[in-house]
Amino acid sequence: MSAPPRLHVESGRVLLSGHWTLAAMLPDLTGLQAQLAPQRSVDVVWDLSALSRLDSAAAVLLWRTWGNAWPARLEISPLHRQVIERVAELPHEIAMPPALRIHPIEFIGSLLLKAGRNLQGMIVLFGQLLLDVAFLFKHPADIPWREFTANIYKSGAQALPVTALVGFLIGITISYLSALQLKSFGADIFIVNILGISIVRELGPVLVAVLVAGRSGSAMTAQIGVMRVTEEIDALSTMGISRTIRVVLPKIIGLTVAMPLIVLWASAVALLGGMLAAMLQLDLSFSYFIESLPRALPVANLFIGLGKGLVFGFVISLVACYFGLHVKPNTESLSSNTTSAVVTAITTVILADAVFAIFTRHIGVPQL
Amino acid sequence: MSQPVVELTGICTAFAGNFVHRDLNLRVEAGQIVGLLGGSGSGKTTLLREMLGLLRPTAGSVSLFGFNLNGSDALAQRAVRRRLGMLFQHGALFSALSVFDNIAFPLRELRCLDEDWIRRLVHLKLAMVEMEASHGKLMPAELSGGMVKRVALARALALEPELLLLDEPTSGLDPDRSQNFVDLVSGLQQALGLTVIMVTHDLNTLAGLASHVAVLADQRIIAFGPKDEVMSVDHPFVTGFFGADRRKLL
């Protein structure tokens, strides 16, 4: 289609012909550069009048060959001269900003400052939510019921299958592994205590929290983040609709309400899995298991588990909404904030779990 | 006649049973600057996307530079795509890259230009679209609407394309800038023999730039030819579009 770029040297004249365009030069770029290089310092006549096309990539190539200056003798059409003039007008050295080097200590410091800012921002968001709740008490007509129920459905009801599956498998695993140990001590019946306490009090809430943080938390951050990127959040504000009341509050209250219910459901299914494994492994009948469960597991444990669910749900959704609201309008920030939201949510949940463990250490442990 | 740059034959496009194009034909020769006109929702952008191979028509064939885009050879398709540049309606800049990197991206993808060469080319393109070199550091989110458009044009021009597709190139530019845009594209067209297909509603751009006009209405191209010929076509869309401004175009 296009004539390849040609270079012809004869008795002090360099004759260029053909299409000197990026596309035409690409197939043999190195060869062309090698051909041009020897002409660099020689005093020759550059004859470009036979050129049929010259684009800026080729102009840059020629200009570099000429050592950033017009050659003494040049024959060129005015149209092509214009193309090269554009290149000539560029400043030779355009200073690029030097790459910033960060000292490790500086890095740790900035990380801490960022964490501090995030904590502060979350407290501000929490305060805003309290104000919103107070506002809604005064104006009950503005309560976003529809968004609230939609969020319970999305982050609660739709999470039931996956939490059940994971809970069931974990129940089986713990029961099976404990049974192996207990059997060797002849303490088979303590399987009920182990399963009851560990699942209801600890594993159920934490397991569900991790799943929900990955599932609903990331979805919340991404949704609010995209709404920010596409300026939908701003559109809401201009219509006089509070973004916290309409977007953030329903998500947070929805998950806070839904989480204890998911925890209850997942713990129940996990106990079922444990019961099944205990029956297969230790010949412990279902009826014995169910009869001895209330004795082994004081009811306080159930409330601790549900309380944890409530707190974890609140933490996950608060963190997710906070990071969503702070997405900058670009794809990079969206992905990094979604990652931060999930990681922060899970870390905070584990931290809260430790706090729970310390403050409830005297409650609900059966005295033998 | 030489080989057409873009040839659409018997294009039908249907979205969920609704026909947008029905048996549409268009043949654009090298060196033409075609203004594609049509009411909103008439499928102009869809047609551009089909030319780019982003969307497959329900029926019919698209060929660019005589190469059928629906063929399967990935390398040949890449070679064809490198010969065209597209300016998207909303810029479609990579939001994670700075302005400089956005324009340098297609050049770096060639993997045979050195950084100095790329740097000069990028600054050249920036100068072409009247951006300052210092703007290279900015991120797309920090740009105004008109600047996004100009950077996107610079990126579309980065590979020195033979075919330039422009979707609403001058919307969002002030009249001065759009005049400069017209000068820039017509200058490039003269120097490089570019072929340009542009969707536009701006009569000034059309008057200043287009050599040919294609009118998309009733699901097909109802008129295609030199500007003044098309304007005298007796069709409600054409008379309505040019209306009182008919004289301005001539």
Side-chain angles (χ1 to χ4, degrees):
Chain A
M1 260 246 0
S2 57
R6 271 184 220 291
L7 181 79
H8 190 66
V9 188
E10 54 168 31
S11 58
R13 284 180 82 83
V14 181
L15 194 82
L16 304 188
S17 61
H19 286 188
W20 282 69
T21 60
L22 187 57
M25 290 190 305
L26 272 183
D28 188 29
L29 194 61
T30 43
L32 208 57
Q33 280 177 297
Q35 267 183 295
L36 278 172
Q39 312 303 331
R40 196 180 287 259
S41 51
V42 194
D43 183 31
V44 289
V45 180
W46 288 84
D47 186 355
L48 276 64
S49 49
L51 270 186
S52 47
R53 276 181 196 174
L54 178 71
D55 73 1
S56 49
V60 169
L61 179 65
L62 288 175
W63 189 249
R64 292 206 305 181
T65 311
W66 296 339
N68 300 322
W70 291 99
R73 284 173 291 168
L74 174 68
E75 288 164 26
I76 189 171
S77 71
L79 195 67
H80 292 151
R81 180 179 279 275
Q82 254 181 16
V83 177
I84 300 183
E85 266 168 6
R86 281 221 180 95
V87 179
E89 281 163 16
L90 283 181
H92 288 194
E93 283 308 317
I94 299 153
M96 294 301 283
L100 282 176
R101 291 195 45 188
I102 301 170
H103 197 269
I105 292 179
E106 226 177 320
F107 178 71
I108 295 172
S110 71
L111 219 60
L112 282 177
L113 284 178
K114 215 161 95 183
R117 268 201 303 276
N118 282 342
L119 186 66
Q120 190 191 4
M122 277 179 224
I123 292 170
V124 169
L125 181 61
F126 181 53
Q128 177 65 44
L129 291 176
L130 289 183
L131 291 178
D132 287 341
V133 170
F135 173 84
L136 290 179
F137 259 112
K138 276 191 236 155
H139 307 88
D142 284 344
I143 297 179
W145 289 113
R146 192 190 282 266
E147 285 82 356
F148 174 59
T149 49
N151 273 298
I152 289 197
Y153 176 72
K154 259 198 296 193
S155 51
Q158 288 187 338
L160 292 182
V162 65
T163 46
L165 178 70
V166 173
F168 188 75
L169 294 175
I170 292 284
I172 287 182
T173 314
I174 293 179
S175 176
Y176 180 75
L177 289 176
S178 318
L180 290 177
Q181 300 289 321
L182 291 173
K183 222 177 191 172
S184 59
F185 289 111
D188 295 11
I189 53 165
F190 282 103
I191 188 87
V192 183
N193 299 48
I194 290 181
L195 282 179
I197 298 268
S198 66
I199 287 176
V200 172
R201 188 176 169 128
E202 193 61 42
L203 275 173
V206 173
L207 206 67
V208 168
V210 171
L211 279 176
V212 167
R215 191 185 167 280
S216 310
S218 60
M220 285 176 187
T221 310
Q223 193 195 2
I224 298 178
V226 170
M227 283 177 85
R228 263 187 63 81
V229 173
T230 56
E231 297 178 325
E232 286 171 55
I233 290 266
D234 301 335
L236 271 182
S237 299
T238 47
M239 293 174 200
I241 296 165
S242 157
R243 62 184 187 180
T244 43
I245 289 184
R246 195 59 68 90
V247 180
V248 177
L249 197 65
K251 290 194 195 315
I252 293 187
I253 295 190
L255 195 63
T256 311
V257 169
M259 265 291 273
L261 304 175
I262 313 174
V263 167
L264 190 68
W265 158 258
S267 301
V269 179
L271 279 180
L272 186 74
M275 222 155 77
L276 195 73
M279 188 186 74
L280 295 176
Q281 189 74 11
L282 301 172
D283 291 326
L284 223 58
S285 73
F286 278 11
S287 57
Y288 175 79
F289 196 105
I290 290 171
E291 262 172 39
S292 53
L293 193 60
R295 256 181 288 128
L297 180 74
V299 76
N301 286 296
L302 184 64
F303 291 120
I304 292 175
L306 293 181
K308 278 183 178 177
L310 195 82
V311 172
F312 293 172
F314 174 74
V315 165
I316 291 171
S317 50
L318 183 73
V319 169
C321 290
Y322 170 78
F323 279 104
L325 287 173
H326 286 79
V327 167
K328 292 188 194 69
N330 64 64
T331 48
E332 194 66 28
S333 165
L334 184 64
S335 74
S336 73
N337 268 33
T338 311
T339 311
S340 306
V342 174
V343 171
T344 313
I346 292 178
T347 317
T348 320
V349 159
I350 306 242
L351 205 72
D353 190 54
V355 173
F356 258 103
I358 294 168
F359 283 104
T360 58
R361 64 187 181 278
H362 299 305
I363 307 170
V365 184
Q367 309 296 321
L368 293 173
Chain B
M1 267 313 239
S2 65
Q3 199 178 34
V5 174
V6 176
E7 190 168 30
L8 307 174
T9 29
I11 296 288
C12 293
T13 314
F15 292 121
N18 292 325
F19 274 92
V20 181
H21 307 129
R22 208 188 284 267
D23 197 24
L24 178 152
N25 297 303
L26 181 65
R27 185 184 158 99
V28 178
E29 306 288 345
Q32 291 180 342
I33 299 189
V34 179
L36 185 59
L37 304 180
S40 44
S42 62
K44 302 181 296 288
T45 302
T46 308
L47 200 61
L48 277 193
R49 291 175 70 86
E50 285 173 350
M51 287 180 201
L52 288 164
L54 293 175
L55 194 73
R56 219 179 159 136
T58 315
S61 78
V62 180
S63 74
L64 292 183
F65 309 105
F67 181 86
N68 189 351
L69 261 191
N70 294 336
S72 57
D73 186 358
L75 276 181
Q77 280 205 21
R78 194 172 74 178
V80 169
R81 290 226 167 94
R82 278 187 179 161
R83 292 167 69 180
L84 57 87
M86 168 78 184
L87 170 65
F88 286 90
Q89 198 169 358
H90 302 292
L93 296 178
F94 302 123
S95 60
L97 300 181
S98 69
V99 166
F100 181 95
D101 291 330
N102 257 289
I103 303 172
F105 184 79
L107 296 168
R108 289 192 177 132
E109 280 302 294
L110 294 176
R111 292 162 214 269
C112 46
L113 303 184
D114 57 68
E115 271 302 306
D116 173 63
W117 197 336
I118 290 175
R119 188 179 51 79
R120 286 180 193 234
L121 280 176
V122 170
H123 283 108
L124 201 61
K125 306 292 159 187
L126 278 176
M128 268 186 187
V129 295
E130 296 173 74
M131 302 269 294
E132 286 162 32
S134 60
H135 288 150
K137 290 195 293 288
L138 296 178
M139 298 304 283
E142 297 166 316
L143 301 177
S144 73
M147 281 160 96
V148 167
K149 205 121 240 185
R150 285 185 279 149
V151 175
L153 178 67
R155 189 180 67 177
L157 291 174
L159 285 183
E160 314 284 351
E162 294 164 59
L163 170 63
L164 195 57
L165 300 173
L166 310 170
D167 198 353
E168 301 276 3
T170 49
S171 67
L173 296 184
D174 54 58
D176 199 23
R177 288 259 157 68
S178 49
Q179 187 54 44
N180 289 346
F181 170 85
V182 168
D183 296 344
L184 168 70
V185 174
S186 59
L188 282 173
Q189 203 275 336
Q190 279 170 21
L192 299 171
L194 276 182
T195 312
V196 181
I197 300 177
M198 59 177 176
V199 168
T200 185
H201 286 123
D202 181 20
L203 283 177
N204 288 323
T205 314
L206 202 66
L209 203 52
S211 65
H212 290 63
V213 172
V215 180
L216 184 59
D218 305 336
Q219 300 162 347
R220 59 196 179 84
I221 301 284
I222 53 158
F224 176 57
K227 222 167 13 188
D228 40 344
E229 275 178 33
V230 171
M231 276 171 40
S232 52
V233 168
D234 190 29
H235 184 276
F237 177 79
V238 179
T239 46
F241 188 89
F242 294 118
D245 287 321
R246 199 178 275 242
R247 243 168 291 122
K248 204 158 134 193
L249 273 168
L250 288 173

